[in-house]
Amino acid sequence: MAYETIVVDVENHIATIKLNRPDALNALNVQLLGELAKALGELDRNEKIRCIILTGSAKAFAAGADIKEMSEKSFVDMFLLDFFGGEAEAITRTRKPVIAAVSGYALGGGCELAMMCDFIIAADTAKFGQPEINLGIVAGMGGTQRLTRLVGKSKSMDMHLTGRFMDAEEAERAGLVSRVVPAKKLMEEARTAAEKVAEKSMLTAKAVKEAVNRSYETTLSEGLLYERRMFHAMFATEDQNEGMSAFADKRSPQFRDR
Ligand code: CAA
């Protein structure tokens, strides 16, 4: 399927979605968010795909929601369109692992899109920020909630109230990104990580995602119980049998997602 604002590339079991509005530093407009949601839905249903990488350009992962598109809208417009509900949250409904590979600016909605992914690999050129306050608005794609859970209240308040940018090193220290790599190696590192994920049982990977994401939604004791029951359930799968047999036989497991 041809898209205008994203480029989807599939190689072996890995799909790469590149945000592609270079003239607007990949600002997230309605068309881009719709195309992204459609692509994610198709890739999630495609049995050949085992991991998805979301990336942008060297200069910008995404510089935020499209300010030009939003500037003339009223409260009623935003409310009736439910701006940034629905399609904008498609990543969070994707059951397959999604890795964000971030280079350059990841601001506002760009930072929020990266945070919806399962983990973030950042180039040493990456800059994260929630500068919405400079536009007289608050974040609208999850920044006040997800950034706070990831980096804690103090740094989240700092980012949202001052609108300053955080470099990759600070983002890694704060727990926003999982690793920082040289900009030139970003896609190679993201691909290596995606290949590692793709080798695993997709059944188990989906269970991991559900269990980790549950930690955001529930209490510790409920989350621990959910994890334990999920752990028990794994013993009904062929892949548990294969994984443990392979360990005993000193060979690599051949998972079948069953
Ligand atoms: N929306 C629309 N267009 C944008 C944009 C955005 N968020 N960010 C950049 N652009 C456009 C610029 O208007 C410019 O287009 P023109 O050449 O047609 O004028 C082009 O991209 C290049 O941008 P700059 O010339 O500004 O590039 P720069 O290198 O000088 O600065 C920057 C880069 C610091 C990222 C700057 O572009 C910037 O501050 N962008 C806005 C960042 C921002 O405020 N993001 C939050 C948006 S609101 C939001 O995201 C709400 C939410 O929570 C969902």
Side-chain angles (χ1 to χ4, degrees):
M1 152 126 215
Y3 297 108
E4 289 176 0
T5 60
I6 59 172
V7 177
V8 181
D9 178 55
V10 173
E11 204 181 322
N12 299 325
H13 297 296
I14 295 156
T16 302
I17 304 178
K18 187 176 188 298
L19 305 177
N20 192 36
R21 294 189 69 214
D23 295 343
L25 301 185
N26 293 334
L28 310 171
N29 63 3
V30 168
Q31 183 184 1
L32 185 150
L33 291 169
E35 291 187 353
L36 180 59
K38 193 168 243 182
L40 286 166
E42 282 172 8
L43 295 170
D44 215 21
R45 287 188 295 274
N46 181 341
E47 285 192 2
K48 285 192 194 135
I49 303 301
R50 304 182 70 80
C51 191
I52 300 165
I53 299 171
L54 181 64
T55 195
S57 67
K59 181 167 179 185
F61 176 75
D66 191 317
I67 300 166
K68 292 166 191 165
E69 189 179 62
M70 289 186 298
S71 62
E72 299 297 321
K73 296 226 179 323
S74 67
F75 162 76
V76 173
D77 297 330
M78 297 302 260
F79 182 79
L80 290 179
L81 292 166
D82 196 20
F83 237 67
F84 305 132
E87 287 187 328
E89 295 183 322
I91 297 173
T92 65
R93 290 190 292 272
T94 305
R95 296 188 72 207
K96 289 180 184 165
V98 184
I99 301 172
V102 175
S103 176
Y105 297 110
L107 305 177
C111 184
E112 294 166 302
L113 203 63
M115 289 191 289
M116 288 181 208
C117 296
D118 296 315
F119 62 94
I120 303 174
I121 300 180
D124 49 12
T125 55
K127 288 188 180 62
F128 298 88
Q130 298 288 164
E132 290 90 341
I133 196 163
N134 297 329
L135 301 168
I137 57 173
V138 302
M141 275 173 62
T144 62
Q145 304 305 299
R146 290 198 177 91
L147 189 66
T148 308
R149 282 165 165 80
L150 288 169
V151 306
K153 175 184 159 185
S154 187
K155 197 175 281 284
S156 178
M157 282 288 194
D158 177 359
M159 301 305 294
H160 285 282
L161 288 174
T162 67
R164 77 176 174 89
F165 301 164
M166 192 194 306
D167 65 18
E169 200 185 306
E170 183 181 358
E172 186 182 28
R173 260 198 331 268
L176 172 59
V177 312
S178 72
R179 34 181 138 155
V180 178
V181 300
K184 278 192 186 144
K185 291 197 148 191
L186 177 66
M187 292 317 292
E188 186 186 325
E189 296 278 347
R191 216 181 151 80
T192 303
E195 276 161 9
K196 268 257 169 283
V197 172
E199 283 169 10
K200 315 293 186 227
S201 159
M202 182 57 62
L203 179 72
T204 318
K206 286 181 176 176
V208 166
K209 280 191 61 159
E210 283 187 18
V212 173
N213 286 330
R214 185 57 64 108
S215 71
Y216 287 112
E217 307 292 346
T218 192
T219 61
L220 179 61
S221 60
E222 286 298 322
L224 289 171
L225 179 60
Y226 184 84
E227 178 196 86
R228 206 157 57 247
R229 292 291 178 252
M230 189 73 96
F231 171 66
H232 298 159
M234 295 290 106
F235 287 77
T237 69
E238 291 175 18
D239 284 346
Q240 171 271 330
N241 190 22
E242 168 61 10
M244 294 193 178
S245 302
F247 176 79
D249 298 346
K250 299 190 187 301
R251 62 174 172 81
S252 300
Q254 299 296 313
F255 293 122
R256 296 182 52 243
D257 308 333
R258 289 287 176 271

